[in-house]
Amino acid sequence: MVRSFGWLMALALGWPVVGFAYDSYTYTSGNDNYHLTQTSLSDDGSVIIGIGGTSVVASDEVVVFSVDDDNPVWNWDDNGDDRIFDVDVSGDGSTAVACGSSVWLLDIEQQELLWTYGEDDIYVWDTCDISEDGQTIVAGNRQSSIGSWDRSSSDYVRWWTLTDGGFVDVVDMTEDGKTAIVSNGYSYALIDLSSDEFVWEKETSVSITTVGLNANATRGYAIVDDGETGTDVSILRGINMTTGRLTWKKRFRSTNTPRVQMSSNGKRVMLTTNKKYYGLGSTGKQEWTFVPSGQETSMQMSANGDFVVVAEGLYYVYFFDWDYPRGKHRAFQIDRPTFPGSVGVSADGSTVAYKDEDFVVQQVVPGILVDNLDTIPVYSSGSSMDVRYYVSNPGKKANLKIRTSLSLPQVSILSDLGAEVDGDPKGAKSKLLEYANATLPGYEVIDTRSVAMVAHDSKTITPTLTVPEMVLPDWVGDFLELIGLDDVFASLMGDYSDPMKDLMNDKINDALTSGAEDAVSAGQATYALLGLGQVELYDTATNEVYSTDSFFFMYLVL
């Protein structure tokens, strides 16, 4: 017999709702062949830029958005057949650099092209970066060379060439524009942008996927191949920034291109693959993981590493709070677009943009995660229930409320079972089931509390709640016997144990079923019902619900 748990899954997942007090919009170009990629945001999220075009290989314009306007404020192209492969906006939002067929510097505020380098040149530029104040620009080309410029002129200031030829596919510069790390897949080097020579250059015997550094060049990283033919194993390595020597390592498996980013202070390293996401400390020690359900990933984190956003390529965009206190992480918000990618996050974590079939820009609303802290979550009327609320607030200051309710959705399971028991009068049973559907759930609000959140912060609250007497009619025992549940656990828990494991991990599932069964067997309870706790996070002034989450428990009828 096949039974659907769709209704229960919907209750349990508690998808968050975006509040109207926060700017959020989806831009649709009107052309099904038009794509926006390579998203980049200013530090405060007020300026968003991307590369636009009719295909990924035919992107030929820079598109500029404002966080509060659902149409581009500026579309720039070079009026030719030029292709754009990378783009970056300065932290202050004043200036952007784009590169591809040439290198272009754009004044965002005045909406004008400042200069072009390489109009008649043979170079193709795959990667570029710009400093926080928009004054220093670095770009790498397919002839293994790197150039630097300042805002005032298209004449390059300095020029470097890596020893081992290859496309320069990574350029990562510090916020102050003084230092950069570069790689061409075979060697990597640290550049002091005031010097004509590399600080150091290192060649490797294995291929390099990417390199990067933190905001002040005190820490760096590289992803390298493990050197074994035919494996999907790569190694994330720390880099000693004084010598260039590879230090700590984290081995991982991935059949796609892994993504990695380091927080500004270098103490947090985020690594995402199509198999697993890893939150790592400064020496590669694993702090948390998350198992996704996607393919290619695009990932960005806030400057301090507190907030991480990952688009998994197929169906979901996950929003994580680094400090959520569990090794197996959970997302405080999950968006469900189609084929999401090209994620950009503001430095303060308040604003996110990503492409799907269209282009989504949103100021991130507060989110909540709830965990039942009791080892065996089995309760009766008057029992104490220990829970943990974890509230994430990447955006602005907010005055919020938390509302927690308990209910007994198992009545829907009973209805399903009752309809399929042979030998009983269907008409009478149907009337009983209809009445039970209206009265049995026993919905009770057991906790309402205020929580004031400062901007870009998180908070943990650990209350002890009291389980109320759930509203149940006196005839429930007779009703259960009538529909054939003489042995509650053989008929109910036996049938539903495996599907419940799809919603809960084995440990919780075993605690629910065995703990409740022990109480019934010992005569401490008449029967047990599956309970659902639901938590809502909403705005104090408007009652706008921003986020919901849920947990399971067993309720014993004494």
Side-chain angles (χ1 to χ4, degrees), residues 260-303:
V260 63
Q261 190 177 356
M262 183 176 281
S263 62
S264 293
N265 62 12
K267 294 183 178 181
R268 290 173 171 174
V269 182
M270 188 69 198
L271 169 66
T272 61
T273 77
N274 63 327
K275 295 180 179 293
K276 186 178 284 190
Y277 305 161
Y278 303 87
L280 308 174
S282 59
T283 59
K285 182 179 179 181
Q286 183 172 296
E287 296 184 4
W288 58 269
T289 61
F290 179 83
V291 178
S293 58
Q295 296 295 320
E296 293 288 335
T297 63
S298 174
M299 177 270 295
Q300 282 286 307
M301 66 196 307
S302 61

Side-chain angles (χ1 to χ4, degrees), residues 300-463:
Q300 282 286 307
M301 66 196 307
S302 61
N304 61 9
D306 283 354
F307 303 105
V308 181
V309 182
V310 186
E312 51 76 274
L314 289 179
Y315 308 112
Y316 302 115
V317 177
Y318 299 108
F319 296 69
F320 298 102
D321 187 318
W322 191 285
D323 290 323
Y324 172 62
R326 277 179 51 174
K328 291 185 177 180
H329 225 57
R330 298 171 61 202
F332 70 85
Q333 178 176 320
I334 303 175
D335 291 355
R336 293 182 288 177
T338 301
F339 303 128
S342 297
V343 166
V345 178
S346 60
D348 60 12
S350 66
T351 307
V352 171
Y354 58 84
K355 70 94 177 173
D356 56 4
E357 292 179 312
D358 300 304
F359 188 68
V360 177
V361 175
Q362 61 175 270
Q363 289 182 312
V364 185
V365 301
I368 190 167
L369 293 172
V370 60
D371 293 296
N372 188 316
L373 300 180
D374 293 321
T375 304
I376 301 178
V378 178
Y379 310 96
S380 58
S381 175
S383 297
S384 295
M385 176 185 287
D386 292 322
V387 299
R388 176 177 59 214
Y389 304 133
Y390 190 81
V391 182
S392 301
N393 186 42
K396 56 194 174 184
K397 177 181 176 181
N399 291 315
L400 308 171
K401 276 193 173 181
I402 300 171
R403 178 170 52 228
T404 301
S405 62
L406 304 182
S407 60
L408 301 173
Q410 192 167 330
V411 64
S412 295
I413 301 177
L414 296 176
S415 299
D416 186 22
L417 287 172
E420 300 194 36
V421 175
D422 295 329
D424 290 320
K426 301 294 183 182
K429 188 182 304 180
S430 176
K431 291 180 181 179
L432 283 173
L433 290 171
E434 288 176 5
Y435 181 63
N437 271 317
T439 61
L440 188 58
Y443 176 87
E444 294 280 351
V445 175
I446 63 169
D447 184 49
T448 301
R449 63 183 61 228
S450 299
V451 53
M453 299 294 295
V454 300
H456 323 306
D457 198 17
S458 305
K459 184 175 292 187
T460 300
I461 305 167
T462 54

Side-chain angles (χ1 to χ4, degrees), residues 44-88:
D44 64 0
S46 62
V47 177
I48 304 104
I49 65 173
I51 302 173
T54 54
S55 75
V56 175
V57 296
S59 299
D60 56 7
E61 68 173 355
V62 175
V63 187
V64 182
F65 292 88
S66 168
V67 71
D68 55 4
D69 191 338
D70 60 1
N71 283 300
V73 297
W74 185 30
N75 294 67
W76 174 86
D77 64 59
D78 200 31
N79 298 315
D81 296 326
D82 294 311
R83 295 292 177 259
I84 303 173
F85 300 135
D86 195 15
V87 67
D88 190 36

Side-chain angles (χ1 to χ4, degrees), residues 378-381 489 515-517 519-520 524-529 554-558:
V378 178
Y379 310 96
S380 58
S381 175
F489 290 93
E517 186 173 8
V520 173
Q524 298 170 349
T526 306
Y527 53 86
L529 294 173
M554 293 300 293
Y555 181 73
L556 300 178
V557 179
L558 303 179

Side-chain angles (χ1 to χ4, degrees), residues 6 20 39 89 240 270 329 331 375 488:
F20 294 113
T39 309
V89 66
N240 182 311
M270 188 69 198
H329 225 57
T375 304
V488 174

